[in-house]
């Protein structure tokens, strides 16, 4: 998955660095509330991510002031009920971090950081989703997530949700990780 495509459900902020550590904060959210989660986003804009896959292409960061939450809207107007529900659930998962407010919306507000989520059957593709970011002068300005339903419709809801969470991670500025247990593993 990601801008370059990938294989299977795990395939393929101030600055992106705030988001780079989110998988460590968010993966426990999939199993329920975590009492040790920080109450505020404490990472500085220039923090460096760990366990980054060195073969992955970089993601452009959204503009975000130090210590503040990054807010990104995920537009779902063109999605079927199944995938709109998964985007809403994935937004809830990402928003359990104090550094991210992910919003599933029918339509993005004009001034919002916006990522459009779309479905495509795509019989010839061997990936279940991809994320493409749009940037200017090194700052992300928007993006598109494409969910390839030919493959996703053949998987369980949990498998398809994992793809949506993974692609939203890319849209938030995360790259692939080496840890096979991470939702951001290629």
């Amino acid at each position: 998955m990601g801008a370059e495509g990938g294989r299977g459900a795990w395939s393929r902020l101030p600055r992106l660095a705030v988001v780079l550590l989110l998988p460590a904060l968010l993966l426990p959210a999939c199993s329920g509330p975590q009492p040790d989660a920080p109450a505020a986003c404490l990472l500085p804009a220039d923090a460096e991510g760990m366990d980054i896959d060195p073969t992955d292409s970089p993601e452009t960061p959204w503009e975000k002031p130090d210590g503040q939450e990054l807010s990104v809207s995920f537009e779902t107007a063109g999605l079927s009920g199944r995938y709109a529900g998964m985007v809403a659930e994935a937004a809830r998962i990402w928003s359990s971090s104090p550094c991210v407010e992910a919003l599933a919306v029918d339509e993005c507000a004009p001034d919002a950081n916006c990522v459009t989520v779309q479905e495509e059957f795509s019989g010839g593709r061997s990936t279940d989703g991809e994320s493409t970011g749009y940037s200017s002068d090194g700052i992300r300005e928007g993006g598109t997530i494409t969910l390839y339903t030919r493959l996703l419709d053949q998987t369980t809801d949990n498998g398809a949700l994992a793809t949506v969470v993974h692609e939203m991670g890319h849209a938030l500025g995360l790259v692939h990780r080496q840890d096979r247990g991470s939702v951001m593993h290629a």
Side-chain angles (χ1 to χ4, degrees), residues 84 103-104:
L103 304 165

Side-chain angles (χ1 to χ4, degrees), residues 1 14 18 34 45 53 58 62 70 96 108 113 144 163 177 184:
M1 288 187 227
V18 172
Q34 300 295 309
D53 185 340
W62 293 93
L70 170 68
S96 67
C108 289
N113 292 329
T144 301
T163 295
R177 294 188 51 162
M184 293 311 297

Side-chain angles (χ1 to χ4, degrees), residues 6 8 57 85-87 102 114 120 137 139 156 170 177:
S57 53
M86 288 181 188
V87 170
C114 184
E120 184 178 313
D137 297 324
I139 300 296
T156 65
H170 286 310
R177 294 188 51 162

